[in-house]
Amino acid sequence: MIQRSRGSTIRSRFIFHSNWWDGLVLHYINRAHFKKNAFAMIDEEGLRQFPFFRRLGAFSIDRSSGRHMLRSLQYAKDKLQGNNAVWIFPQGKEEHLEKRPLAFSSGISRIISGNEQIPIIPVSLYYSYFHKQTPYLFIETGKPFYLDSGTSGSSYPDITAHLEHRLTSQLDRLAEDVVEEKQLESFVSLLKGKSTVSESFQKTFGRSRQ
């Protein structure tokens, strides 16, 4: 797990969602690095299947019920007012890592609207095997920003499009750096797993090229 951070203040964070592990990754990042009282919005069905996420600060949103959606969105707004951190998956569901457009739902705009004083931080996760037997996870934490006076007065679709553009640009830059193996020195290692079978074989049977 490798991170490149462009800011450390955290309140509202929105993050691209590509697989089941993302929720646990966020919990680890917060516990090991940011150390904030954090909450995360998760689909109702997913939380029913994996209720232990509630112990990690997750709360549900049921997109099939308008009343439940409004209640969950208000809960998120209340948590932000209480000086907590709220993680949001603005797509509302898992999507393939390379799928474009990201297609944000309007829920994130409804949460942020009226909270212009709260910093927003885009977070991108990019998974790659990177010539290895086990995968690497590259994390890009963007600089905190606020809705300016012009954006905050826009409609929900306009705010959503603005946020989607920012995260898309960040995710595309991260993907390019990983694929092209550029600027990797700017990443900091957060967590390293055990040696893989291939690494053990290399140590045991590898022949030095020197």
Side-chain angles (χ1 to χ4, degrees):
M1 187 181 296
I2 305 172
Q3 181 186 35
R4 178 167 60 192
S5 177
R6 303 186 187 280
S8 57
T9 304
I10 138 177
R11 288 289 296 283
S12 174
R13 287 176 171 261
F14 63 108
I15 182 168
F16 174 75
H17 190 24
S18 67
N19 67 78
W20 185 87
W21 290 101
D22 291 343
L24 293 180
V25 169
L26 300 187
H27 175 67
Y28 174 82
I29 294 173
N30 184 67
R31 187 183 65 178
H33 187 58
F34 297 112
K35 298 179 173 59
K36 290 284 186 175
N37 190 29
F39 299 85
M41 181 182 289
I42 295 181
D43 180 72
E44 172 72 21
E45 182 179 352
L47 201 53
R48 267 201 310 267
Q49 292 177 341
F50 306 102
F52 69 88
F53 276 115
R54 292 188 186 277
R55 301 181 63 183
L56 307 183
F59 61 95
S60 67
I61 182 168
D62 183 359
R63 297 196 298 170
S64 67
S65 168
R67 180 178 297 180
H68 190 283
M69 284 182 60
L70 291 175
R71 188 163 59 244
S72 296
L73 294 175
Q74 186 59 51
Y75 181 82
K77 291 173 73 78
D78 292 343
K79 288 300 180 185
L80 286 175
Q81 292 296 334
N83 200 33
N84 302 292
V86 177
W87 297 86
I88 304 167
F89 298 106
Q91 293 157 294
K93 58 181 179 179
E94 293 177 10
E95 296 283 10
H96 191 277
L97 189 62
E98 306 297 344
K99 184 177 179 180
R100 300 293 184 277
L102 297 185
F104 282 11
S105 68
S106 63
I108 185 172
S109 302
R110 296 175 182 274
I111 293 171
I112 294 172
S113 181
N115 286 316
E116 287 78 6
Q117 78 285 2
I118 293 176
I120 306 164
I121 303 177
V123 179
S124 303
L125 306 181
Y126 195 86
Y127 298 81
S128 174
Y129 276 87
F130 210 60
H131 315 300
K132 302 293 183 179
Q133 187 178 2
T134 53
Y136 281 67
L137 169 56
F138 292 86
I139 305 168
E140 178 88 18
T141 304
K143 291 182 179 180
F145 68 94
Y146 300 81
L147 292 181
D148 58 35
S149 57
T151 306
S152 63
S154 302
S155 64
Y156 290 141
D158 288 340
I159 296 175
T160 301
H162 173 71
L163 297 175
E164 182 178 322
H165 173 73
R166 293 191 72 126
L167 187 56
T168 300
S169 298
Q170 178 175 294
L171 180 58
D172 287 346
R173 288 195 303 270
L174 174 61
E176 180 181 356
D177 285 350
V178 174
V179 172
E180 301 295 334
E181 301 182 25
K182 300 187 305 183
Q183 303 186 55
L184 299 185
E185 70 281 355
S186 64
F187 289 90
V188 176
S189 180
L190 299 180
L191 182 66
K192 180 176 174 58
K194 297 180 180 179
S195 296
T196 63
V197 174
S198 61
E199 290 172 338
S200 298
F201 270 59
Q202 180 65 33
K203 291 177 182 179
T204 305
F205 304 108
R207 182 172 59 186
S208 173
R209 297 180 181 272
Q210 297 180 354

